[in-house]
Amino acid sequence: MTKRSSSEIFGITQEDLAGLGIISHSEQAIQDYIDGDGPVFAAAYIRVSTKDQVDLSPESQLEEIRKYAQRNGIILLQDHIYIDPGISGKHADNRPKFQEVIAQAKSPDCPFRVILVWKFARFARNQLESIFYKSILRSKCGVSVVSITEPLPEGPFGSLIERIIEWMDEFYSYRLSGEVKRSMTVNAQNGVFQSSPPFGYRLDKEKHVLTIVDDEAQHVRFIFESFLAGDGFYPIAKKLNDMGVRTHRGNRFANRTVEYILRNPVYIGKLRWNPTGRTRYNYDDENIIVADASHEHIIDDDTFNAVQTRVSKIKAQWGYKARPTYELKHWLSGIVRCSNCGSTLVFTKPYYFKCNNYVRGKCKHSQHIKADILADAIISKLREDAASSKKLNYSMAYAVSSAGKEVSRLEATCRLIETKKERLQEAYLAGVIELSDFADAKKRMESDLENAAADLEAARLKMETGASTDNAMRRSIETALEVLESSSATIDAKNNAARSVIERCVFDKDAGTLSLTYRLVI
């Protein structure tokens, strides 16, 4: 192994030593300072929230840190300058260079005893994280965090001042976040585009409006047309990948990519925005703002609405993360769950079902059972419930075109009013509105909530009274049984039939029980 010099290990340059008044630049002189009572060795941590902060740029922060180190007899190690550009300081987990400097400080051969920052706010804007990491560094690693622009007095008073600075940094961050969020909400309500261009569009930076990318728009139309023709998310994604089509980030298409496109109102000239955070795949979030915008349509309104209707029907019928039927090995795959851990029972060769978590070593109950015995037990249970006059255990799923749409709408209305009440309370406590305005607005909201709750109760009662829904549930079970008992029905058809009525199926081999919860799509 080649022996590394002291200057290579510690990143000490001749300029560093010259700045400290050292005449000799030899390796021995460097080693003397390492072994003796020479200067303190330091790392630097630098962060900026956005690229627009010129006065707080990484270069300017580093320059100030270098000057501070030279004035105070500190050697800044060149191999230990950590920079997180354009990253928020709220959460340490999102800052890779921050994690690196912490890991280095915790290592047994850490070469520095100080971490220099331009301000404490660069280290963290979250007071709890700031206190946690500083405490770990001081008590466990013997490393201090020093702000070069915020000197602290010695003793308890210095700790108090540090806590106040941390609190002010966090408060500023939350206020800034609130102002930005309010501004973006207003922009969203006015149809102003403020995110990355979706597939099918690019952003005209001069006019700040979306413009169509012709070849991508053709693929968008293909997605909508294929879905209305009966294809699912996965088959469409597979076709696009086979054609060599890639997303804006160069990734292959997946189920959720196709679904996101199908459910994005941008393609009918609207913009969707969630002021409370990223929508991700929660398309029913009541906080979402959808506003008209000025960009050109790719899809017409009728096509888009027809797609939303079919998506809602599919979501009402199929469970979360259900696999495509043509990948299934048995018509019961993905339907039956373990009573102990809740995992699905998977089909294993030659003809058995077992708990998936048991197979992976995460569950102690195998639930091992022959596939034909399990299938017969479920069909027998379906027959029994279809013929029974007893109240069935089922939930109702609402499709967009059904009478249940009104119940869904009223449920969302109640949630929205409750959210508005909470925000009104926060605004009053923050001194944004006067007491009289608060009282009037609260009274109106409580009246609206009372009316919406009454309408919701009436709608639910209308749908659930009498034997109508029970009879509908039994008819759905009978329809499913016709397919399940057919010798000519495919695995796909049987799996679809079972899923159309079964919400949850739990098997407990030890107790010898099989429980079914049904789903009525209305």
Side-chain angles (χ1 to χ4, degrees), residues 463-484:
M463 296 181 66
E464 297 175 6
T465 52
S468 59
T469 53
D470 282 354
N471 290 338
M473 186 74 256
R474 291 188 180 90
R475 286 194 297 271
S476 295
I477 295 173
E478 290 170 354
T479 301
L481 278 170
E482 291 177 4
V483 179
L484 295 175

Side-chain angles (χ1 to χ4, degrees), residues 324-367:
T325 54
Y326 51 79
E327 294 184 9
L328 304 178
K329 298 176 181 178
H330 192 279
W331 67 265
L332 278 177
S333 294
I335 292 177
V336 188
R337 294 188 173 274
C338 169
S339 61
N340 181 64
C341 68
S343 175
T344 54
L345 269 58
V346 293
F347 185 76
T348 59
K349 294 181 179 181
Y351 38 71
Y352 289 97
F353 272 96
K354 290 182 180 179
C355 171
N356 188 36
N357 276 344
Y358 178 83
V359 174
R360 298 170 182 268
K362 298 179 180 179
C363 181
K364 297 181 179 180
H365 296 257
S366 69
Q367 308 292 11

Side-chain angles (χ1 to χ4, degrees), residues 85 165 175 254 448:
I165 292 173
R175 284 199 61 186
D448 291 343

Side-chain angles (χ1 to χ4, degrees), residues 21 117 142 202 225 236 238 293 317 345 381 401 423 482 521:
V117 294
R202 65 177 177 82
E225 291 167 2
I236 295 174
K238 189 175 185 301
Q317 178 176 341
L345 269 58
K381 178 63 174 172
S401 59
R423 292 175 181 168
E482 291 177 4
V521 180

Side-chain angles (χ1 to χ4, degrees), residues 17-151:
L17 295 173
L20 293 168
I22 300 175
I23 304 302
S24 172
H25 297 165
S26 66
E27 285 294 321
Q28 185 59 50
I30 296 174
Q31 190 64 49
D32 289 342
Y33 269 86
I34 293 172
D35 296 335
D37 298 323
V40 175
F41 293 95
Y45 176 71
I46 296 167
R47 180 185 65 80
V48 292
S49 297
T50 69
K51 295 179 181 179
D52 297 328
Q53 291 177 294
V54 179
D55 58 326
L56 300 179
S57 66
E59 294 77 15
S60 60
Q61 288 186 42
L62 180 57
E63 180 62 24
E64 293 301 317
I65 288 174
R66 287 188 189 280
K67 292 177 181 178
Y68 177 88
Q70 190 171 14
R71 288 196 305 269
N72 291 274
I74 298 173
I75 293 182
L76 181 62
L77 303 177
Q78 302 305 304
D79 291 341
H80 294 282
I81 296 173
Y82 303 85
I83 302 175
D84 274 323
I87 298 178
S88 168
K90 280 187 178 181
H91 303 292
D93 292 343
N94 298 332
R95 295 184 280 156
K97 291 301 180 179
F98 180 85
Q99 294 299 331
E100 281 187 29
V101 69
I102 297 298
Q104 182 62 59
K106 293 167 69 174
S107 65
D109 57 347
C110 176
F112 55 83
R113 287 294 171 262
V114 173
I115 299 175
L116 298 177
V117 294
W118 189 72
K119 286 182 177 292
F120 284 125
R122 303 301 93 197
F123 186 77
R125 279 203 183 276
N126 181 320
Q127 187 177 36
L128 290 178
E129 286 191 351
S130 179
I131 293 173
F132 171 77
Y133 282 107
K134 288 178 184 177
S135 298
I136 292 294
L137 290 172
R138 287 168 181 162
S139 61
K140 304 294 184 182
C141 311
V143 174
S144 300
V145 178
V146 174
S147 168
I148 66 171
T149 58
E150 297 161 322

